[in-house]
Amino acid sequence: MELGLAILLTDYSIQPARLGALAEERDFESLFLAEHTHIPASRDTPYPGGAELPREYSHTVDPFVGLSAAATATERLRVGTGVCLVTERDPIVTAKEVATLDHVSGGRVLFGVGAGWNKEEMRNHGADPSKRWGLMRERVEAMKAIWTQDEAEYHGRFVDFDPIWSWPKPVQKPHPPVLVGGVGDKVLDRVVAYGDEWIPNRVKDADELGERIAELQRRAEAAGRGRIPVTVFGAKREQPVLERLQAVGVTRSLFYVRPDEPGEVERQLDELAKVAAAWAG
């Protein structure tokens, strides 16, 4: 099981290039940046984590700009979106951003996607929250077409375009892995239908997660697919917990890093590096 980092990186925290370099120096496999284009001031949609929405949600840097900086400061570190809110993005533009990042990084992109939870945020982008799952699927499928076809076209309910030319194509073939986020009842269907990996968040029970992973692999086999990797957000630091996650089929665990001032972020990385060293040993 690989160990990586996840952060809602902000304008008041550490610079992304510095963060990437520190992560690679400490032998973490990957760095994931979250995305929120903005936070509506209305605050009608409840925060899934409870209580008040933390400050960092309205201060996040653009993940593709941040990950590009991290990629150019590193050689091995995988760079991922955790997660990209594709319901709020144009698929043609986003396909080019992902492909360009894969080009710049030499094929190190992990493309985590999600439909989002903030309904007002989606509406500000012209997305109907009640249709976000269908919208996410079509936008992911359209991006895959752009990455893999010289003359790509897509005709769906929400995404519709005639043949187009768009380069660069991703370094990774057929394209960067698409990690589908979510923990709802239908998430396994989505992963098997158009994802390459599953990236659940807010996992509370490893054994319960293990049951879902087993079901995911059964569905993957029935669909004629190989074993599907699973990445977990917000993993606990205790070795017995990490061992249990690995035992139930998790292939990558991400430690959450608080987006504090630069010195404090570096201190957190030093502490997490001790956990990672113990795991590797």
Short mmCIF file of all heavy atoms in Angstrom, two decimals, residues 133 180 183-192 194 212 219:
data_model
loop_
_atom_site.label_atom_id
_atom_site.label_comp_id
_atom_site.label_asym_id
_atom_site.label_seq_id
_atom_site.Cartn_x
_atom_site.Cartn_y
_atom_site.Cartn_z
N TRP A 133 -24.83 13.61 -11.22
CA TRP A 133 -24.16 12.32 -11.45
C TRP A 133 -24.12 12.01 -12.94
O TRP A 133 -23.10 11.52 -13.45
CB TRP A 133 -24.87 11.22 -10.67
CG TRP A 133 -24.86 11.48 -9.20
CD1 TRP A 133 -25.94 11.77 -8.39
CD2 TRP A 133 -23.72 11.51 -8.34
NE1 TRP A 133 -25.53 11.97 -7.10
CE2 TRP A 133 -24.18 11.81 -7.03
CE3 TRP A 133 -22.35 11.31 -8.54
CZ2 TRP A 133 -23.31 11.92 -5.94
CZ3 TRP A 133 -21.49 11.42 -7.46
CH2 TRP A 133 -21.97 11.71 -6.18
N VAL A 180 -12.73 7.74 -9.18
CA VAL A 180 -14.08 8.23 -8.93
C VAL A 180 -14.33 8.35 -7.43
O VAL A 180 -14.19 7.37 -6.68
CB VAL A 180 -15.13 7.31 -9.58
CG1 VAL A 180 -16.54 7.78 -9.25
CG2 VAL A 180 -14.92 7.26 -11.09
N VAL A 183 -19.03 7.94 -1.61
CA VAL A 183 -19.26 6.80 -0.73
C VAL A 183 -20.73 6.38 -0.75
O VAL A 183 -21.14 5.53 0.04
CB VAL A 183 -18.83 7.10 0.72
CG1 VAL A 183 -17.32 7.28 0.82
CG2 VAL A 183 -19.54 8.34 1.26
N GLY A 184 -21.53 6.96 -1.63
CA GLY A 184 -22.96 6.67 -1.67
C GLY A 184 -23.27 5.28 -2.18
O GLY A 184 -22.38 4.51 -2.58
N ASP A 185 -24.55 4.96 -2.20
CA ASP A 185 -25.01 3.62 -2.56
C ASP A 185 -24.61 3.22 -3.98
O ASP A 185 -24.38 2.04 -4.25
CB ASP A 185 -26.53 3.52 -2.41
CG ASP A 185 -26.98 3.65 -0.96
OD1 ASP A 185 -26.14 3.40 -0.06
OD2 ASP A 185 -28.15 3.99 -0.73
N LYS A 186 -24.56 4.19 -4.90
CA LYS A 186 -24.33 3.87 -6.30
C LYS A 186 -22.90 4.10 -6.76
O LYS A 186 -22.60 3.98 -7.95
CB LYS A 186 -25.29 4.69 -7.17
CG LYS A 186 -26.76 4.36 -6.94
CD LYS A 186 -27.66 5.17 -7.85
CE LYS A 186 -29.13 4.81 -7.62
NZ LYS A 186 -30.03 5.59 -8.51
N VAL A 187 -22.02 4.42 -5.83
CA VAL A 187 -20.66 4.77 -6.25
C VAL A 187 -19.93 3.61 -6.92
O VAL A 187 -19.18 3.80 -7.87
CB VAL A 187 -19.84 5.31 -5.06
CG1 VAL A 187 -19.57 4.25 -4.02
CG2 VAL A 187 -18.52 5.91 -5.56
N LEU A 188 -20.18 2.38 -6.47
CA LEU A 188 -19.49 1.25 -7.08
C LEU A 188 -19.92 1.06 -8.53
O LEU A 188 -19.11 0.69 -9.38
CB LEU A 188 -19.76 -0.03 -6.27
CG LEU A 188 -19.33 -0.01 -4.80
CD1 LEU A 188 -19.51 -1.38 -4.18
CD2 LEU A 188 -17.90 0.48 -4.63
N ASP A 189 -21.20 1.33 -8.81
CA ASP A 189 -21.67 1.29 -10.20
C ASP A 189 -20.91 2.28 -11.05
O ASP A 189 -20.53 1.98 -12.19
CB ASP A 189 -23.17 1.60 -10.27
CG ASP A 189 -24.02 0.55 -9.57
OD1 ASP A 189 -23.61 -0.61 -9.54
OD2 ASP A 189 -25.10 0.92 -9.07
N ARG A 190 -20.68 3.48 -10.51
CA ARG A 190 -19.98 4.52 -11.25
C ARG A 190 -18.53 4.15 -11.50
O ARG A 190 -18.00 4.38 -12.60
CB ARG A 190 -20.08 5.84 -10.50
CG ARG A 190 -21.51 6.34 -10.31
CD ARG A 190 -21.57 7.66 -9.56
NE ARG A 190 -22.96 8.01 -9.29
CZ ARG A 190 -23.51 8.09 -8.09
NH1 ARG A 190 -22.77 7.88 -7.01
NH2 ARG A 190 -24.79 8.39 -7.95
N VAL A 191 -17.88 3.59 -10.49
CA VAL A 191 -16.48 3.21 -10.64
C VAL A 191 -16.33 2.17 -11.75
O VAL A 191 -15.45 2.29 -12.62
CB VAL A 191 -15.91 2.67 -9.31
CG1 VAL A 191 -14.48 2.17 -9.51
CG2 VAL A 191 -15.94 3.75 -8.23
N VAL A 192 -17.17 1.16 -11.73
CA VAL A 192 -17.08 0.10 -12.73
C VAL A 192 -17.44 0.63 -14.12
O VAL A 192 -16.85 0.24 -15.13
CB VAL A 192 -17.99 -1.09 -12.35
CG1 VAL A 192 -18.03 -2.13 -13.46
CG2 VAL A 192 -17.51 -1.72 -11.05
N TYR A 194 -17.25 3.87 -15.45
CA TYR A 194 -16.38 4.81 -16.16
C TYR A 194 -15.14 5.24 -15.36
O TYR A 194 -14.44 6.16 -15.77
CB TYR A 194 -17.17 6.05 -16.59
CG TYR A 194 -17.82 6.83 -15.47
CD1 TYR A 194 -17.16 7.87 -14.82
CD2 TYR A 194 -19.12 6.55 -15.06
CE1 TYR A 194 -17.76 8.61 -13.80
CE2 TYR A 194 -19.74 7.28 -14.06
CZ TYR A 194 -19.05 8.29 -13.43
OH TYR A 194 -19.67 9.02 -12.41
N ARG A 212 -17.19 -3.41 1.01
CA ARG A 212 -17.50 -2.70 -0.24
C ARG A 212 -16.43 -2.92 -1.29
O ARG A 212 -16.72 -3.01 -2.48
CB ARG A 212 -17.71 -1.21 0.04
CG ARG A 212 -18.85 -0.91 1.00
CD ARG A 212 -19.31 0.52 0.89
NE ARG A 212 -20.13 0.71 -0.31
CZ ARG A 212 -20.56 1.90 -0.73
NH1 ARG A 212 -20.23 2.99 -0.06
NH2 ARG A 212 -21.30 2.02 -1.81
N ARG A 219 -17.89 -7.01 -8.87
CA ARG A 219 -18.53 -6.34 -10.00
C ARG A 219 -17.55 -6.11 -11.13
O ARG A 219 -17.91 -6.23 -12.31
CB ARG A 219 -19.13 -5.01 -9.53
CG ARG A 219 -20.25 -5.14 -8.52
CD ARG A 219 -20.91 -3.80 -8.29
NE ARG A 219 -21.82 -3.85 -7.16
CZ ARG A 219 -22.68 -2.87 -6.86
NH1 ARG A 219 -22.70 -1.77 -7.60
NH2 ARG A 219 -23.49 -2.97 -5.82
#
